[in-house]
Amino acid sequence: EVHLVESGGGLVRTGGSLRLSCAASGLDFGDYVIAWFRQAPGKEREAVSCINNRDGATFFAGSVKGRFTISSDNAKSTVYLQMNDLEPEDTAVYYCAAGRYGLLIRLPSEYGMDVWGKGTLVTVSP
């Protein structure tokens, strides 16, 4: 059975940092794109960042570019989202998701993802 488990969320002040982890099991990790999405209260879910484990390509939403980085540890089947210089607008539930793509040229749509974690809450206080 395929599972994705997020961790690392919490409460941080503006300008602070958090590192989210997405641990995968039950899938061939190296064949998947792992993406982070977030959903703020009253807003639609949006893609934040992703990494294609097939070729290492990474993509970021414009709102987080330069502040967030993403990395993958294939030996641990875990993807990390390092979030720096956090802003109150980053407050949301963050979800990781896995999907199979060949060549990825942009952030994936949520509809293209096959497996989802349950999410972890990130709260950034002013």
Side-chain angles (χ1 to χ4, degrees), residues 40-125:
K43 294 188 176 181
E44 294 186 354
R45 188 155 54 186
E46 62 174 349
V48 175
S49 180
C50 72
I51 184 165
N52 188 346
N53 281 327
R54 286 189 170 188
D55 61 11
T58 61
F59 299 91
F60 297 89
S63 59
V64 307
K65 199 170 291 185
R67 300 187 296 123
F68 291 11
T69 59
I70 190 169
S71 60
S72 182
D73 185 336
N74 281 12
K76 295 183 178 180
S77 295
T78 299
V79 166
Y80 304 98
L81 183 69
Q82 178 67 43
M83 307 186 296
N84 298 328
D85 195 21
L86 283 161
E87 305 166 351
E89 292 74 22
D90 296 314
T91 295
V93 177
Y94 283 71
Y95 301 89
C96 71
R100 271 186 166 162
Y101 289 83
L103 177 65
L104 192 66
I105 61 172
R106 62 175 65 87
L107 285 168
S109 164
E110 62 179 304
Y111 302 106
M113 309 309 286
D114 301 319
V115 186
W116 290 82
K118 294 184 177 181
T120 185
L121 176 63
V122 171
T123 304
V124 185
S125 63

